Amino acid sequence: MNTTMNTSDCPELRVPFYVFFTIGLFSLMENLLVVVAVILNRNLHSPMYYFMCSLAGFNTVASITKTCENILLVFVNVGHLEKKGFSETKLDDVIDSLLCMSFVGSIFSFLAIAVDRFVSIFHALRYHNIMTMRRTGTSLGIIWTICGISAIFMVNFFDFKFIMMCFVALFIIAFVTICFLYAYMFMLARIHAKKIGSLNSGGVEKTRLRSLGSSMRGALTLTTLFGAFVVCWAPFFLHLVIMTVCPTNPYCECYRSLFQLHVILLMSHALIDPAIYAFRSTELRHTFRKMLLCA
């Protein structure tokens, strides 16, 4: 029995252009709605929501980038652009670098949110002294600067396997760190809540328990967001790894034939996140309703 396969055994999956365009348009509208809601509602002027805005910004970059790329592919197919022209190649490099920027930015945004939730749960009394708006702004500036530098490396050194391995290592380290922080938070918070509940000592402890519950709801929301990020980005990330590790293997080639489906998942992440915000955050949901109803 023949155990090999050629590329014709797995024809490339084609997704209609209008699907990319529709997802990109709606995700752009949703993420801009999140940013505007946080700006308008003073109750949302907190580090966690600013980090959420940063995440929404990176989601918007990913959606716009892939939408523009698919528009350019339409022009290529009708003969108005060359596939391998100098300008087209440079533009493709810029698109790839912006996509890399969005990926790295999302990871760092999740990491910043995880740290923020950790401080809010286990250093609640000192939270506003630790997570000041100045430090939040500095953190966001560092995140966007690192992402801009990574985009430059993506353009100039993408052919080097070392760069690709750095992105692989970054994803694994960030994933493990965030999972550890959330597991540690939920474990200690559960123990803390049991201790407070067993004391049964009146108003102060009940207030602390309510505060802990509120922080844990925020942590649960962000755990859901991170899970959606992993599900939507992992296939695309694996595609990049396969391009480096086994570029000519027929089985790897079969997985790569699903590239456009991986891109749809990637863009869907920007569509899913605002829905999770609205579902989990009462304050954001009310703000969305007021904005959409012009109330």
Side-chain angles (χ1 to χ4, degrees):
M1 185 176 66
N2 185 13
T3 58
T4 63
M5 65 173 71
N6 53 46
T7 54
S8 63
D9 293 325
C10 297
E12 184 178 358
L13 177 68
R14 292 286 182 179
V15 178
F17 163 75
Y18 63 84
V19 175
F20 290 101
F21 186 79
T22 302
I23 293 176
L25 181 62
F26 276 95
S27 63
L28 175 62
M29 293 169 57
E30 284 186 355
N31 284 282
L32 286 178
L33 191 66
V34 172
V35 175
V36 174
V38 172
I39 292 173
L40 293 180
N41 190 341
R42 291 183 178 275
N43 292 333
L44 301 177
H45 290 187
S46 65
M48 184 184 76
Y49 285 105
Y50 284 143
F51 288 132
M52 278 188 177
C53 274
S54 176
L55 181 60
F58 286 117
N59 284 340
T60 302
V61 170
S63 294
I64 292 177
T65 299
K66 294 309 298 182
T67 302
C68 290
E69 184 179 43
N70 282 279
I71 291 174
L72 292 175
L73 287 175
V74 171
F75 282 105
V76 169
N77 292 333
V78 298
H80 291 296
L81 289 174
E82 298 179 16
K83 279 189 176 182
K84 298 296 182 180
F86 177 78
S87 300
E88 289 78 9
T89 302
K90 289 297 181 182
L91 188 58
D92 187 59
D93 287 340
V94 172
I95 288 174
D96 288 340
S97 66
L98 288 175
L99 198 61
C100 168
M101 176 181 174
S102 175
F103 173 73
V104 176
S106 296
I107 289 177
F108 276 106
S109 294
F110 277 117
L111 194 56
I113 295 171
V115 172
D116 173 79
R117 290 298 85 197
F118 182 85
V119 174
S120 73
I121 292 172
F122 298 109
H123 302 280
L125 297 179
R126 300 174 54 221
Y127 173 76
H128 294 290
N129 293 327
I130 298 174
M131 298 299 298
T132 63
M133 296 310 297
R134 182 175 180 178
R135 287 177 180 171
T136 301
T138 302
S139 300
L140 289 174
I142 292 172
I143 288 172
W144 282 85
T145 300
I146 291 175
C147 293
I149 293 173
S150 69
I152 295 173
F153 272 91
M154 184 74 172
V155 169
N156 294 288
F157 304 106
F158 180 73
D159 292 333
F160 290 86
K161 287 189 177 182
F162 173 75
I163 298 298
M164 181 58 67
M165 291 302 102
C166 285
F167 284 110
V168 173
L170 173 65
F171 179 80
I172 294 174
I173 292 171
F175 178 79
V176 172
T177 302
I178 293 171
C179 288
F180 172 78
L181 278 175
Y182 281 128
Y184 187 67
M185 274 191 286
F186 284 116
M187 180 183 69
L188 290 188
R190 184 177 181 183
I191 295 172
H192 193 194
K194 285 184 176 180
K195 287 181 178 179
I196 294 175
S198 64
L199 290 175
N200 196 22
S201 56
V204 175
E205 297 301 335
K206 288 181 179 179
T207 301
R208 290 177 62 189
L209 188 59
R210 282 196 297 269
S211 176
L212 178 64
S214 177
S215 296
M216 289 307 300
R217 282 194 297 272
L220 183 60
T221 299
L222 299 168
T223 305
T224 306
L225 289 171
F226 183 65
F229 169 78
V230 172
V231 170
C232 292
W233 276 87
F236 180 81
F237 181 77
L238 182 58
H239 178 93
L240 297 180
V241 174
I242 284 176
M243 285 177 60
T244 304
V245 176
C246 54
T248 58
N249 185 284
Y251 292 98
C252 294
E253 197 65 30
C254 195
Y255 181 83
R256 289 170 60 184
S257 67
L258 302 174
F259 176 69
Q260 291 196 6
L261 179 61
H262 305 157
V263 174
I264 288 292
L265 277 174
L266 178 154
M267 296 178 66
S268 297
H269 176 246
L271 196 66
I272 293 170
D273 272 4
I276 296 176
Y277 301 152
F279 179 75
R280 296 291 306 178
S281 172
T282 304
E283 192 70 41
L284 256 181
R285 190 163 59 249
H286 289 169
T287 307
F288 287 159
R289 188 179 296 119
K290 289 180 179 178
M291 291 170 61
L292 295 175
L293 299 179
C294 300

